[in-house]
Amino acid sequence: MTADVRAVPVPGRRTIGKSGRGAVRHRSSIAIFTVPFGILFLLFYLLPIGYAVWQSLLVVEREGTYGAPQEVFGWFTQYALVMQNGPFWESVARVLLFGVVQVPIMLGLALLFALLLDSPVLKGKKFFRLAFFVPYAVPTVIAAIMWGFLFSPNLSPFTDVTRAVDFLSPELVLWSIANVVTWVYVGYNMLIIYSALLAIPSEVYEAARIDGAGQIRIAWSIKIPMVMPAIILTAIFSIIGTLQLLAEPQVFRSFSSAVSSTFTPNMTVYATNSIPNVNLAAAFSVVLALATFVLSFTFLKLTQRKADS
């Protein structure tokens, strides 16, 4: 007598047919969760991008001097104007310099604060965690206004310092803006890195202590390498944020004449759109988005290649 053994389907698992392919179950449930996201992604992400690209391919023509304006397809005419626009590329170079200096300092401070919070030596961790993160809760515009008053020679409570060092001069205003960005976003990046530190198993630390490693050695050889994905993530966010710099320099225009309407790429887009020249502003936006993608993707690939080697 032989036993009749039949495959019993396990709830929650997919069944494998003769073709070897898994039959996905609960397709209606999957659709309920994915379709709303897909609709919102299409409406508020893909369609605006497509509309911006379309606008960047149009030019405005008039029949005669006082003819009515009419948008016609102009191929890459707007992009040719972008390539010839000196102030725009100067603004790109300015924010790249800004990022090369400011991003490593900001992420270095964020990593240092996260390591301090994760260290058993530090007392009052709840207080310092809140103190480090509170600046991020301040709206960017409010933070820029506050620091603008502190840097202004006639308005600052530290007049002796601000009159001796003009933080709003053409030579220093970029780094004054970098100070604001660093003050606001260090806590945000620290929280991401600190969350990655909390995910490290305690057994790893115990094994390192048994081998005689101290806190500094553990931080350098264990903690930093294991949170490197979080550091890379914050670096990519920072690169994107650097190229999108707008609110802080826009506010600083009220305090310093050194900040022009084309001080950053996004300010150039905003000023061009206000003329109005929507088509050229759209071309600026598309070029800026492509530059952001290339820099972020290149940084990600370089870090992955270094990690694999």
Side-chain angles (χ1 to χ4, degrees), residues 130-237:
L130 180 62
F132 293 152
F133 185 74
V134 158
Y136 181 69
V138 179
T140 304
V141 174
I142 302 300
I145 293 174
M146 179 186 71
W147 280 101
F149 276 106
L150 291 175
F151 288 142
S152 180
N154 299 324
L155 302 174
S156 175
F158 312 104
T159 54
D160 293 337
V161 177
T162 54
R163 288 176 181 173
V165 181
D166 188 1
F167 293 99
L168 301 178
S169 64
E171 294 79 15
L172 296 179
V173 69
L174 180 65
W175 310 118
S176 298
I177 296 173
N179 173 80
V180 179
V181 176
T182 303
W183 183 80
V184 171
Y185 288 100
V186 160
Y188 169 79
N189 294 303
M190 175 215 68
L191 197 62
I192 296 177
I193 299 173
Y194 181 59
S195 300
L197 286 171
L198 294 178
I200 299 177
S202 59
E203 292 81 3
V204 178
Y205 299 146
E206 293 175 1
R209 294 189 191 97
I210 293 174
D211 291 339
Q215 292 298 323
I216 297 179
R217 181 66 175 176
I218 291 175
W220 181 258
S221 300
I222 297 177
K223 292 183 178 181
I224 294 179
M226 294 191 74
V227 300
M228 191 56 65
I231 297 175
I232 293 174
L233 177 66
T234 56
I236 293 175
F237 286 165

Side-chain angles (χ1 to χ4, degrees), residues 23 46 63 85 91 96 105 114 137 142 158-159 161 170 176 187 189 199 218 222 253 258 264 270 281 306:
L46 295 181
E63 294 184 2
N85 193 288
S91 67
L96 288 178
I105 293 175
I142 302 300
F158 312 104
T159 54
V161 177
S176 298
N189 294 303
I218 291 175
I222 297 177
R253 287 194 67 191
T264 65
Y270 181 80
K306 186 176 179 180

Side-chain angles (χ1 to χ4, degrees), residues 11-306:
R13 293 188 180 180
R14 61 182 186 178
T15 57
I16 306 299
K18 295 181 179 180
S19 62
R21 296 182 179 180
V24 180
R25 303 177 64 184
H26 308 297
R27 293 182 180 179
S28 59
S29 300
I30 296 174
I32 290 174
F33 287 102
T34 57
V35 169
F37 167 79
I39 294 174
L40 293 175
F41 185 76
L42 175 65
L43 291 178
F44 298 102
Y45 191 80
L46 295 181
L47 286 181
I49 290 176
Y51 183 72
V53 173
W54 170 251
Q55 285 292 321
S56 68
L57 298 175
L58 302 178
V59 295
V60 177
E61 291 185 353
R62 296 177 182 268
E63 294 184 2
T65 306
Y66 302 103
Q70 182 180 5
E71 287 186 335
V72 297
F73 192 75
W75 293 97
F76 300 106
T77 302
Q78 302 293 353
Y79 292 97
L81 295 177
V82 171
M83 297 303 169
Q84 299 169 7
N85 193 288
F88 174 75
W89 295 108
E90 290 175 5
S91 67
V92 172
R94 189 177 293 112
V95 295
L96 288 178
L97 175 62
F98 176 96
V100 167
V101 177
Q102 186 268 338
V103 170
I105 293 175
M106 178 178 64
L107 296 185
L109 289 174
L111 176 61
L112 176 62
F113 293 160
L115 291 173
L116 286 174
L117 290 177
D118 194 59
S119 173
V121 179
L122 183 67
K123 306 299 181 182
K125 293 184 179 181
K126 292 183 179 179
F127 168 78
F128 285 106
R129 183 167 62 241
L130 180 62
F132 293 152
F133 185 74
V134 158
Y136 181 69
V138 179
T140 304
V141 174
I142 302 300
I145 293 174
M146 179 186 71
W147 280 101
F149 276 106
L150 291 175
F151 288 142
S152 180
N154 299 324
L155 302 174
S156 175
F158 312 104
T159 54
D160 293 337
V161 177
T162 54
R163 288 176 181 173
V165 181
D166 188 1
F167 293 99
L168 301 178
S169 64
E171 294 79 15
L172 296 179
V173 69
L174 180 65
W175 310 118
S176 298
I177 296 173
N179 173 80
V180 179
V181 176
T182 303
W183 183 80
V184 171
Y185 288 100
V186 160
Y188 169 79
N189 294 303
M190 175 215 68
L191 197 62
I192 296 177
I193 299 173
Y194 181 59
S195 300
L197 286 171
L198 294 178
I200 299 177
S202 59
E203 292 81 3
V204 178
Y205 299 146
E206 293 175 1
R209 294 189 191 97
I210 293 174
D211 291 339
Q215 292 298 323
I216 297 179
R217 181 66 175 176
I218 291 175
W220 181 258
S221 300
I222 297 177
K223 292 183 178 181
I224 294 179
M226 294 191 74
V227 300
M228 191 56 65
I231 297 175
I232 293 174
L233 177 66
T234 56
I236 293 175
F237 286 165
S238 301
I239 291 173
I240 296 173
T242 296
L243 290 173
Q244 293 180 346
L245 194 63
L246 176 64
E248 295 87 354
Q250 190 72 22
V251 172
F252 267 62
R253 287 194 67 191
S254 304
F255 298 96
S256 174
S257 59
V259 181
S260 64
S261 60
T262 59
F263 193 76
T264 65
N266 261 353
M267 292 180 67
T268 304
V269 174
Y270 181 80
T272 305
N273 185 70
S274 301
I275 292 176
N277 192 341
V278 178
N279 306 115
L280 182 58
F284 280 135
S285 301
V286 172
V287 171
L288 181 59
L290 290 175
T292 304
F293 170 77
V294 169
L295 284 177
S296 303
F297 185 77
T298 302
F299 176 81
L300 181 61
K301 284 299 181 181
L302 289 176
T303 52
Q304 286 180 344
R305 184 178 302 175
K306 186 176 179 180

